């Protein structure tokens, strides 16, 4: 750890980083390379834009190493090492903004230009927004900082800097990033990802016990950060609320419902206390609340909401369907889509009685002028299940994309109702998968499921034996796949 500002030593930094995130760990002798092109591309495109780049995300998601990779990119672009100044604040002894600003002024005098200031863990300063405001005003400095807390960094900084803070939300590894560093086959990587998630530290552990131990320790550190930052007087009660969310991922929950569940376990807690703990957990990026909206009126429906963990490795449920749903949500957020859960009301005749029925859509994801209605199902066991999953789509009146993501392997295809059908791995491995058009060849990277060219018929799964069509599913015998 660096305790003071210093020029970057080009002998100790990789200068061939390119579009690669370099992750080092004391337990490893070698270098593990994880492709994080998206974040490095964002940093490069924002250089010298007059705003402070803010890498914000949960503890352990890779912000510090991403900052180091950015150092390497600057050096490879010809920036002199003495023009790159870095501060690692955790444990540095720097306690306030005035002290840090003085050191920045000493290291990067205003009578020179072209300085890059990199600050890691800026949230350790209670008045860190003063630092960001100061850096944004110094035109001879291009700055990038990292921090953990969402309300402090994602909301407070841009406001207090009057638009001079440029937040880049850093998430744990997506499956494509995880796969780029995994040493096994794609199918083996998927099993690990589904069970242990995408925190970079998981890749440093060789055993199931080591992976789980790492995640448990990381969660304990995150909870400790929350307790200290927000002065929690009853950390056991806060942990109990978080555990309720972890065991009920994707299930509609309300503060009163959580309070009632805890009361049955002998822990009395008011609804307001539950709301406070949930807000603190969201502030620390541990979880995210997904609110319900009425699709016809586009109004919020209030409680209950669904909650998802920032990384599936923190889920407390062993249910693969819930874990898969959490992964799909995380990928949508990683692609910078806003996400709600949709409710649409329709009228149906049941046993001769006309009545209103509310149907749910797992995710309504939006970005700019794009919108996607998404259902996730682990597996279509029969025709009835398929009809139920697609039923809400038939009530929609707009022309935006409908997508059914299945937990099994499935090459993308459009069915006769205009719904995109795609396997979860194929969805995760192609950033453009939701915008699929017939004729594009999106295939799995695993040789077991790879097709050499576009298949003339929709392929949902490669099976060991011949299977008849089941509903809309068309199966391809394994012997037909190279």
């Amino acid at each position: 750890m660096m305790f003071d500002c210093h020029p970057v030593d080009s002998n100790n930094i990789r200068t061939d980083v390119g579009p690669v995130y370099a992750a080092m760990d004391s337990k490893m002798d070698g270098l593990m390379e994880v492709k994080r092109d998206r974040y490095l591309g964002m940093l490069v495109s924002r250089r010298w834009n007059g705003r402070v780049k803010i890498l914000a995300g949960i503890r352990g998601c890779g912000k510090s190493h991403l900052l180091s990779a950015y150092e390497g990119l600057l050096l490879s672009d010809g920036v002199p090492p003495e023009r790159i100044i870095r501060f690692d604040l955790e444990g540095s002894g720097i306690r306030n903004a005035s002290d840090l600003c003085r050191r920045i002024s000493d290291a990067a005098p205003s009578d020179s230009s072209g300085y890059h200031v990199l600050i890691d863990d800026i949230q350790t300063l209670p008045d860190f927004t003063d630092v960001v405001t100061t850096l944004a005003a110094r035109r001879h400095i291009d700055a990038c900082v990292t921090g953990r807390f969402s309300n402090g960094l994602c909301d407070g900084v841009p406001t207090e800097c009057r638009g001079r803070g440029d937040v880049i939300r850093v998430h744990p590894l997506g499956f494509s990033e995880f796969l780029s560093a995994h040493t096994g086959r794609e199918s083996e990587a998927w099993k690990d990802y589904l069970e242990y998630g995408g925190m970079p530290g998981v890749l440093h552990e060789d055993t199931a016990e080591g992976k789980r131990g790492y995640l448990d320790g990381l969660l304990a550190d995150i909870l400790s950060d929350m307790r200290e930052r927000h002065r929690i007087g009853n950390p056991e009660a806060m942990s109990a609320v978080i555990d309720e969310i972890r065991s009920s991922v994707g299930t509609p929950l309300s503060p009163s419902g959580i309070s009632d569940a805890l009361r049955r376990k002998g822990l009395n807690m008011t609804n307001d206390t539950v709301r406070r703990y949930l807000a603190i957990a969201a502030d620390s990026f541990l979880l995210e609340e997904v609110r319900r909206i009425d699709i016809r009126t586009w109004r919020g429906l209030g409680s209950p909401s669904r909650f998802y963990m920032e990384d599936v490795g923190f889920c407390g449920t062993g249910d693969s369907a819930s874990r898969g749903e959490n992964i799909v949500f995380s990928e949508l957020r990683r692609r910078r889509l806003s996400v709600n859960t949709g409710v649409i009301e329709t009228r149906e005749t049941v046993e001769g009685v006309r009545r209103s029925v509310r149907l749910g859509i797992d995710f309504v994801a939006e970005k700019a002028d794009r919108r996607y209605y998404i259902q996730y199902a682990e597996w279509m066991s029969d025709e009835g299940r398929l009809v139920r999953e697609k039923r809400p789509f038939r009530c929609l009146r707009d022309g935006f994309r409908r997508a059914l993501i299945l937990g099994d392997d499935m090459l993308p295809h459009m069915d006769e109702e205009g719904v995109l059908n795609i396997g979860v791995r194929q969805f995760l491995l192609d950033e453009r998968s939701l915008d699929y058009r017939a004729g594009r060849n999106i295939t799995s990277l695993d040789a077991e499921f790879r097709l050499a060219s576009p298949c003339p018929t929709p392929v949902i799964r490669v099976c060991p034996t011949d299977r008849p069509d089941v509903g809309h599913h068309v199966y391809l015998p394994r012997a037909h796949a190279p």
Side-chain angles (χ1 to χ4, degrees), residues 125-167:
L125 301 180
D127 49 356
F128 63 83
T129 55
D130 293 342
V131 178
V132 178
T133 304
T134 300
L135 289 172
R138 298 187 180 182
R139 295 305 180 186
H140 68 297
I141 290 176
D142 187 59
C144 180
V145 305
T146 75
R148 299 178 197 146
F149 301 103
S150 61
N151 282 346
L153 282 165
C154 289
D155 297 331
V157 168
T159 299
E160 295 186 39
C161 291
R162 296 182 176 90
R164 293 184 180 178
D166 199 346
V167 177

Side-chain angles (χ1 to χ4, degrees), residues 201-267:
V202 167
L203 288 164
H204 303 329
E205 304 292 342
D206 296 327
T207 66
E209 182 179 7
K211 296 177 196 294
R212 183 48 57 190
Y214 165 76
L215 289 171
D216 289 344
L218 180 58
L219 179 60
D221 289 341
I222 293 169
L223 293 176
S224 178
D225 287 342
M226 293 162 56
R227 181 180 67 249
E228 293 173 6
R229 179 174 175 81
H230 297 276
R231 298 181 176 86
I232 303 298
N234 189 349
E236 292 77 14
M238 181 180 69
S239 295
V241 172
I242 302 303
D243 287 343
E244 282 295 312
I245 300 297
R246 295 176 62 214
S247 62
S248 305
V249 165
T251 302
L253 295 172
S254 65
S256 60
I258 295 172
S259 179
D260 291 342
L262 294 176
R263 190 174 296 112
R264 290 192 291 270
K265 297 177 182 179
L267 184 62

Side-chain angles (χ1 to χ4, degrees), residues 46 57 73 80 89 95 97 118 146 159 180 185 207 272 316 327 353 370 389 433 449 470 473:
R46 288 164 169 77
L73 280 175
L89 295 185
R95 298 302 180 190
L118 311 178
T146 75
T159 299
S180 71
R185 296 169 57 124
T207 66
D272 287 342
I327 288 173
V353 178
R370 291 177 290 163
E389 292 292 340
S433 54
F449 297 102
V470 180
H473 302 311

Side-chain angles (χ1 to χ4, degrees), residues 263-325:
R263 190 174 296 112
R264 290 192 291 270
K265 297 177 182 179
L267 184 62
N268 291 323
M269 197 178 307
T270 66
N271 295 350
D272 287 342
T273 300
V274 172
R275 289 190 187 94
R276 178 173 180 249
Y277 291 152
L278 291 176
I280 290 171
D283 184 65
S284 300
F285 296 114
L286 182 58
L287 56 81
E288 188 167 347
E289 180 179 3
V290 181
R291 301 184 184 278
R292 298 186 307 152
I293 59 169
D294 184 319
I295 292 176
R296 295 199 189 281
T297 64
W298 223 249
R299 295 177 180 174
L301 296 176
S303 195
S305 301
R306 295 187 185 188
F307 293 86
Y308 295 95
M309 305 306 295
E310 171 69 2
D311 185 74
V312 70
F314 295 130
C315 291
T317 174
D319 177 28
S320 59
S322 297
R323 299 178 78 87
E325 187 175 321

